[in-house]
Every structure is written in structure tokens, then in C-alpha cells.
Amino acid sequence: MEYAFNNEDKMRFNSLYQQIIEIACGNFMFRQEPSGRRDPIDTVTVLLNMMSEEIYNFCFGTNQEIKQPEIQFSIFLDKDFYITSYSSNTPEILKWKQDKFDCQVSEILSKNSEKALTDEIDSATGKMYQQFIPVDFIVKNKGLHRCPCTIQRMVGVDPSCAYVITAFRFTNGEEPLRKVSNIRHSLKSGKKESAATKILLKQVRLYILKNLHTDLPSLRELGLIHRTNKTKLKEGFKKMYGTTIHRFHMEKRLDKGALLIRTTELPISMITQKCGFKDHSHFSKNFKIQFGQTPSEYRREYKPNFMRE
């Protein structure tokens, strides 16, 4: 059954196309509100919004601290999943009142966790794998101690060490010991500052990509917007991205123009406006510098067959 497009649907479809153009140009903040019809166009709208959100959070998320895994304990199993040994701190963490040597692993795990571990082994036969699995260990009074774990197949000749379960905990990267040398503290402070600077510069980059349709403010104004100073912004961006802020802005505007020329039938005069250029000559001059052709020559060469007369 073919889907019939009315004029309103065509407008919605064109909005989707515009969102795809923005994503292709690196702007992941473009969003659209679904119409509420729950039709195929709404489905694509929701999926594009979700995709943009995921990409944005992955590339520019600032609310999450980087977490580093720290090993808590390890438990070794033979090929029949009997416990053969474990790290010395295991009984204390899991509150064991007696040794668990020669016990089946099912005696220390919840049923769901036991199944999750065996499923992981079956799905990765013969491979070294490090996927974290939430595991519930049975502690005293039938309580549960949950922690992320990995299960690995051991390679060797000792049959008593066929598998190892390694339990982890995640920290925010802070030194757990109170006594830390001044050198280590200084190095960690430097790393934090570097990470914060990278996040700042990524936010500036995103701001630029969101504003390809207009002139950028001065470096001083851009610094005020992002709560930093002109020098730090200028030097940091050049070091991280290998180009100046205004050169990056110009290149991305022209890249957007080239994409619109290749994939749409919009007049070049309209594309000029969409890319933030005030007149065609300015756009054409810079376009030729970057692509070696005028916009019209570029369109003739890259125009898809279905758009040719």
C-alpha cells in the first residue's frame, strides 16, 4: 500500500530533510516536534531526535564524571563451575562465614546472575571478553550484593582455573587514600583542567556549527558567552582542532553549501543565504578557494542523474 503525501506531509518531510542536513553538518541540537499522528513521518522524526540526542550526549555531555573501574575481588572456577580459589578479601566483602572452596557457583549467585554469566560464556566461546554484567552475590541472611562483573575463560593447562569472575566498582577517579603526594595532586588537577578545557572547546565547536547561518561574534564576545577569556579560547581551539575559530566557521559554512548544492535543487542564491553569506560574490569567491570551482560549476559536476534534465 503506497503512502499518499499531502501538502502538509511534504512540509513535514522537508523539515526532516533539513534536520538530516543539520546532522550531516555536525549540528546535533536541531530538534522537531512530532505532529502526534503517529504515522511514518512521526516515527522518523522521533528516531532522528533520539539519534541527535545520543550523538550530542556522547560528544558533548558535561554532566557525567569519567568513571574508572577498580577491581574488588576475583573468584576462580573449574570447568564444571566449582569454586577453586578466590582473592583474600572476597569473604569479607561478601560476608561469608565459612570457606566456599569446592562449592558450585550457584551457591553464591542469584539464579538470574548465574544464567547471565553462563549466557555470556556461551555467546563468546573461545574469546577474551570484558563486557560488564550486573551480578548479584548471595550474602548472609539471603541478602544480595550487586556489582558489575566480567567473566573470562582462562587459557592455560590448569584445569582448576577454567574461568574467573572479576568484580569491579566504579569511582570518580579520586584517590581513595587520604595521604596523597603534592606531585600526584598537581598531576590530577592538571588532568581535570585539561578535561574541562576539552569540554569547553567542544561546546564552542557546537556553538559554531549551530550558527553557520550567520556571522560569528567577536572572540571576546564568544569568550563571554562560554565564560572564558579570548586568549584561552583562541589558543585552545587552534591547538585542539588545528585551525582558527573563524577559519573553521568559514569552512563549515562552505561545506554546508556544497552539501546543499549536491543534494537539493535550491537556487544557489537561497543556499548563499542559508549559509550566512550576505551576497553571492562573497560566497562564490570563498567557495572556489575551498573547492576549486564556482558553486555553479560544482552543481553541474555533482548533480545526481535523477536531477539532470
Side-chain angles (χ1 to χ4, degrees):
M1 180 179 177
E2 294 185 358
Y3 185 85
F5 285 90
N6 56 35
N7 289 334
E8 185 180 351
D9 288 338
K10 290 179 180 178
M11 291 177 62
R12 293 165 63 205
F13 184 81
N14 287 335
S15 296
L16 288 177
Y17 189 82
Q18 178 62 31
Q19 183 171 3
I20 293 171
I21 291 291
E22 293 295 324
I23 292 171
C25 292
N27 178 13
F28 308 120
M29 292 298 291
F30 194 99
R31 300 287 187 276
Q32 291 193 85
E33 286 296 326
S35 68
R37 296 182 182 182
R38 299 183 181 181
D39 56 9
I41 299 180
D42 260 10
T43 300
V44 176
T45 299
V46 172
L47 292 175
L48 281 176
N49 287 342
M50 290 173 60
M51 183 180 72
S52 295
E53 189 71 28
E54 288 295 323
I55 296 174
Y56 173 80
N57 288 334
F58 179 79
C59 295
F60 304 102
T62 60
N63 295 327
Q64 294 183 348
E65 292 182 321
I66 298 174
K67 296 185 178 181
Q68 300 175 344
E70 179 181 293
I71 295 177
Q72 283 198 80
F73 58 87
S74 298
I75 299 174
F76 296 88
L77 312 172
D78 65 15
K79 61 182 180 63
D80 296 316
F81 299 101
Y82 279 86
I83 299 171
T84 58
S85 62
Y86 38 80
S87 55
S88 59
N89 60 339
T90 307
E92 179 183 358
I93 294 174
L94 297 182
K95 299 179 175 59
W96 290 345
K97 291 184 178 180
Q98 58 187 22
D99 291 337
K100 297 294 183 179
F101 298 117
D102 297 326
C103 292
Q104 268 213 317
V105 73
S106 58
E107 295 185 27
I108 65 167
L109 299 180
S110 69
K111 291 183 179 179
N112 288 337
S113 295
E114 182 186 4
K115 184 177 186 305
L117 288 176
T118 54
D119 287 346
E120 175 67 8
I121 291 172
D122 292 340
S123 66
T125 303
K127 297 180 181 179
M128 300 295 288
Y129 34 91
Q130 287 286 347
Q131 179 176 337
F132 286 111
I133 305 168
V135 174
D136 291 321
F137 292 91
I138 300 173
V139 296
K140 65 179 181 180
N141 298 326
K142 295 184 178 181
L144 297 175
H145 174 87
R146 169 167 287 196
C147 53
C149 295
T150 61
I151 176 73
Q152 287 182 276
R153 190 185 304 274
M154 303 297 289
V155 179
V157 296
D158 188 352
S160 67
C161 295
Y163 306 98
V164 59
I165 300 172
T166 305
F168 292 82
R169 62 183 170 191
F170 286 84
T171 66
N172 60 4
E174 293 294 332
E175 174 62 50
L177 301 178
R178 292 184 180 180
K179 295 181 180 181
V180 184
S181 69
N182 291 333
I183 295 176
R184 179 174 295 182
H185 178 74
S186 176
L187 288 173
K188 289 177 69 180
S189 298
K191 288 181 180 179
K192 287 182 179 179
E193 182 179 356
S194 176
T197 300
K198 287 181 179 179
I199 291 172
L200 167 67
L201 295 173
K202 286 181 178 180
Q203 293 290 347
V204 173
R205 182 180 183 273
L206 182 62
Y207 179 90
I208 295 170
L209 293 171
K210 288 169 60 181
N211 289 278
L212 297 179
H213 61 285
T214 186
D215 291 333
L216 278 180
S218 67
L219 289 179
R220 180 179 177 278
E221 292 171 327
L222 197 58
L224 289 174
I225 292 171
H226 292 88
R227 299 181 181 179
T228 187
N229 61 68
K230 172 183 174 180
T231 302
K232 184 176 181 180
L233 183 61
K234 180 180 178 180
E235 294 178 354
F237 196 93
K238 178 71 179 292
K239 183 178 180 180
M240 186 164 177
Y241 295 109
T243 187
T244 66
I245 287 176
H246 287 290
R247 183 67 245 173
F248 178 81
H249 182 237
M250 174 63 75
E251 289 175 351
K252 292 302 179 182
R253 290 163 84 186
L254 295 169
D255 285 342
K256 180 178 181 179
L259 183 62
L260 291 172
I261 290 172
R262 290 198 311 268
T263 61
T264 74
E265 295 184 88
L266 291 174
I268 291 177
S269 59
M270 186 177 293
I271 292 175
T272 298
Q273 295 175 6
K274 283 182 172 291
C275 296
F277 291 90
K278 295 179 180 178
D279 58 75
H280 175 75
S281 61
H282 187 212
F283 175 63
S284 183
K285 177 183 176 182
N286 285 278
F287 193 94
K288 188 169 184 178
I289 292 173
Q290 183 156 322
F291 295 99
Q293 297 173 303
T294 66
S296 299
E297 292 170 341
Y298 188 85
R299 168 160 278 177
R300 284 195 294 270
E301 180 172 347
Y302 289 95
K303 194 171 185 179
N305 291 329
F306 69 85
M307 291 171 60
R308 297 179 189 273
E309 293 181 358

